[in-house]
Amino acid sequence: MTLSLVLHDWRLLERIVGLTNRLGCAYTSVNVRSGESLYHATIEFAGPPDALRRLDAQLTRLLNDDKEMSR
Amino acid sequence: MLEEGAPIVSESAAATGAQLVLDVLADEGVEVVFGYPGGAIMPLYDAMVGHPMQHILTRHEAAAAFAAGGYARSSGRVGVCMATSGPGATNLVTGILDSQMDSIPIVAITGQVRSELMGTDGFQEADVTSIMGPVTKRSVCVRDVRDLEKMLRAAFRVARGPRPGPVLVDIPSDILKAKVPRMDYFAPRPIPPALERPDDATIDAALELLRTAQRPVAIVGGGARSANAVHLFREFCGMLELPHTATINGLGCATPGDPNFLGMLGMHGYKAANLAVNAADVVFALGMRFDDRVTGRPDKFARGAQIVHADVDASEFGKIIPVKVALRGDLRATLTALVRRAAQQQMPRFAGWAAEAKAYGGALPADRAPHGELSATDALDAFFAVAPDDAIVTTDVGQHQMWAAQRQRAIHPRNFITSAGLGSMGFGLPAAIGAQMANPQRTVVAICGDGGFQMSIAELATLRRFALPVKILLIDNQRLGMVRQWQELFYDRRYSHTDLSDNPDFVAVARAYGVRAERVEDAGELRDALERFFRAKEPSLLHCACFPAENVWPLIPPGATVHDAMDGAPEAIPA
């Protein structure tokens, strides 16, 4: 599963790594570029399909809160 | 906790970061904060001098976090706690995670060492935002005083929802001291995101399952409390005569006395509730998240049922249990739509099935006390029989929590407050302090066990200092009772470190703190003691000395199914 994520706070990467590990997944590639005030992360995740689905859903929630914090 | 070398600053009410923090809190509707001072947060405490913000000094930071949670759970408003850097902040962790697990809106503010000391392993320095990351919705550190107001406002927005939870704001002491323009009360603020609700087609798909169902059951959880949707849940169940049950966080959602309410669901839930869900062909799961204490073995949970799951958080759908129809959105908006659409259609009534489901289970099984001794369940039965209808009851964690959950008569979920998801011992008394601050005219009772009470026993001083008339019903069985029960049932009666028979004299301890206290050890003394307990206008402890071997029944063993439920017969213990 490859996700392109927009981060307002780059420290969210730490949370993403923690969640990935907690759900029994791993990441095989991480690429982050910083923009003017946003960070663009492209991350390849590996793991059981169910866990990846949960990870995807939880990352969506995390990024929604990140977006709200930046308003 | 004093940060060595910190400059002593006593500024006037100028526009410092600290002053701005208090002004923003007040503007967000905060009237009381729970906290404990220390070196790095001293500028904020200094700014409190003469400020109308009320501060409740707890005797441990953990209690401040639990109290903020109790305040929020009982009122629906954001609870606020604060502590200093390092150990002050780390002591908040459990209380913050407690709010995360039960989706309770709190904002935690921690002082941090001066910016130039961050990363140097300075005195009382800790990487608090990283520590707090996994236990909060968001955890941020303010590095520029110009961002302070924006970040605090955002913290409140994120804490409030759509799914509520804790947010941490860590503020270095130099930011608290820095000059900043005064808050502009008239500045435009970001508008909270609009409430989402499922579209009519999805609502109709859910109702269609109900229309063709023979044995539907509704399960309500803490989401109904968070969304202020209790009245709509009652209306929905009432119009369909739908049998319904509740998770521990959903207790109080059912209409008081509703014959179609089957009682609490789950490991220590009512037999009728568990068997009805097991037999159901459609389950409406409303604002609940299929915790393992509710489902037991998930692959055996409600196997014959199609699940309609309503939740504000899409990440809950299919997390544990496969869902037929997912109703994503604010539960109040969802239930409004369900009620409206159901009223427009020809919907069946389920009174016959509800009566059948109710007949699945009878009275709660309970162990009998040896002659002349007091049983915890007798004490709790007597307590709930005379407690005021609108009393707010908090519990600690363990056997007394489950006995109380089985017996409570809450008329609203904000009246029964318990650490459900995290199961944090030490929660009960500080949560009651928070609830009493939010509800000064109400009767607030903390039901505690002897183990958990001793984790927060110093908060008796908080009761006394602020003359909070919190009542403590102490169920003392001289054991860590729930662990002891599991050792008896699942560990071949090897009682490892659960004996608390050397407990202190709780009455003497309470009196030493200036708290009225009384002890009962005979069922015959209970009635009069409870009358005095409820009549007291001051903080009060009723110490119930109970026999130690009483167990919580029914019990569905962990990872088992409703068919494995034990109701007190040891021979029924599965291998």
Side-chain angles (χ1 to χ4, degrees), chain B residues 121-405:
Chain B
D121 297 325
F123 177 65
Q124 293 191 335
E125 193 219 343
D127 183 1
V128 171
T129 49
S130 292
I131 290 168
M132 296 290 186
V135 302
T136 55
K137 289 185 76 179
R138 289 292 284 123
S139 163
V140 294
C141 181
V142 182
R143 304 305 293 257
D144 185 326
V145 73
R146 290 170 297 185
D147 296 332
L148 181 57
E149 179 176 354
K150 179 185 165 190
M151 292 172 89
L152 280 168
R153 300 251 183 222
F156 277 85
R157 280 200 313 279
V158 171
R160 287 185 181 114
R163 179 176 181 166
V167 178
L168 175 109
V169 183
D170 192 40
I171 313 175
S173 60
D174 54 302
I175 302 286
L176 289 170
K177 291 176 195 166
K179 296 289 185 186
V180 65
R182 277 198 169 278
M183 190 182 77
D184 179 358
Y185 283 91
F186 302 104
R189 315 264 184 248
I191 298 166
L195 296 179
E196 289 187 83
R197 54 148 288 199
D199 58 34
D200 282 350
T202 316
I203 292 286
D204 287 347
L207 289 175
E208 183 57 30
L209 289 180
L210 206 48
R211 196 192 337 270
T212 54
Q214 300 297 310
R215 297 178 307 282
V217 177
I219 308 171
V220 66
R225 174 179 65 188
S226 299
N228 292 319
V230 174
H231 61 296
L232 290 161
F233 171 73
R234 292 173 178 178
E235 187 175 351
F236 182 64
C237 292
M239 70 194 292
L240 301 171
E241 298 177 86
L242 187 61
H244 49 287
T245 173
T247 70
I248 192 167
N249 269 330
L251 293 173
C253 286
T255 303
D258 189 328
N260 297 333
F261 179 56
L262 304 173
M264 183 173 72
L265 184 67
M267 179 178 274
H268 293 294
Y270 277 68
K271 200 171 173 182
N274 284 315
L275 288 173
V277 169
N278 185 63
D281 55 1
V282 170
V283 166
F284 262 59
L286 305 168
M288 54 84 71
R289 60 182 176 83
F290 297 103
D291 183 275
D292 60 276
R293 286 298 193 265
V294 163
T295 63
R297 265 185 69 169
D299 60 324
K300 302 280 188 187
F301 177 80
R303 281 181 78 182
Q306 301 187 89
I307 309 288
V308 176
H309 190 184
D311 205 286
V312 73
D313 183 353
S315 74
E316 293 295 345
F317 297 136
K319 189 177 84 174
I320 309 289
I321 300 290
V323 171
K324 180 75 173 177
V325 178
L327 299 174
R328 185 190 172 197
D330 172 75
L331 192 56
R332 187 166 48 173
T334 301
L335 275 164
T336 300
L338 282 169
V339 167
R340 179 174 55 82
R341 299 292 285 184
Q344 292 166 350
Q345 301 171 29
Q346 198 70 31
M347 294 295 294
R349 302 286 187 274
F350 299 101
W353 153 237
E356 191 184 327
K358 192 88 176 180
Y360 281 158
L364 285 169
D367 292 333
R368 294 178 66 86
H371 181 69
E373 294 191 44
L374 180 62
S375 84
T377 48
D378 282 348
L380 286 164
D381 283 337
F383 167 82
F384 283 112
V386 297
D389 285 343
D390 68 343
I392 296 173
V393 171
T394 73
T395 78
D396 217 276
V397 168
Q399 285 183 309
H400 73 279
Q401 177 190 30
M402 293 299 116
W403 286 320

Side-chain angles (χ1 to χ4, degrees), chain A residues 14-15 54 61 68 71, chain B residues 130 133 157 191 313 319:
Chain A
E14 184 183 12
R15 294 285 302 274
R54 284 185 201 170
R61 184 172 71 177
E68 189 60 35
R71 282 210 297 150
Chain B
S130 292
R157 280 200 313 279
I191 298 166
D313 183 353
K319 189 177 84 174

Side-chain angles (χ1 to χ4, degrees), chain B residues 406-445:
Chain B
Q406 291 170 335
R407 289 162 175 77
Q408 55 73 40
R409 297 183 294 110
I411 58 174
H412 193 280
R414 296 203 184 285
N415 290 13
F416 185 72
I417 293 171
T418 194
S419 170
L422 192 60
S424 318
M425 289 177 69
F427 173 89
L429 177 53
I433 289 171
Q436 188 76 78
M437 288 305 300
N439 303 272
Q441 306 304 322
R442 303 268 293 279
T443 299
V444 176
V445 185

Side-chain angles (χ1 to χ4, degrees), chain B residues 74-128:
Chain B
S74 67
S75 69
R77 296 156 70 185
V78 178
V80 177
C81 59
M82 51 180 59
T84 196
S85 61
T90 56
N91 280 341
L92 293 176
V93 170
T94 304
I96 289 175
L97 178 57
D98 192 86
S99 288
Q100 171 86 333
M101 292 289 275
D102 287 345
S103 303
I104 305 302
I106 69 168
V107 169
I109 296 172
T110 46
Q112 180 55 276
V113 299
R114 298 192 306 276
S115 296
E116 75 267 22
L117 288 176
M118 290 176 68
T120 66
D121 297 325
F123 177 65
Q124 293 191 335
E125 193 219 343
D127 183 1
V128 171

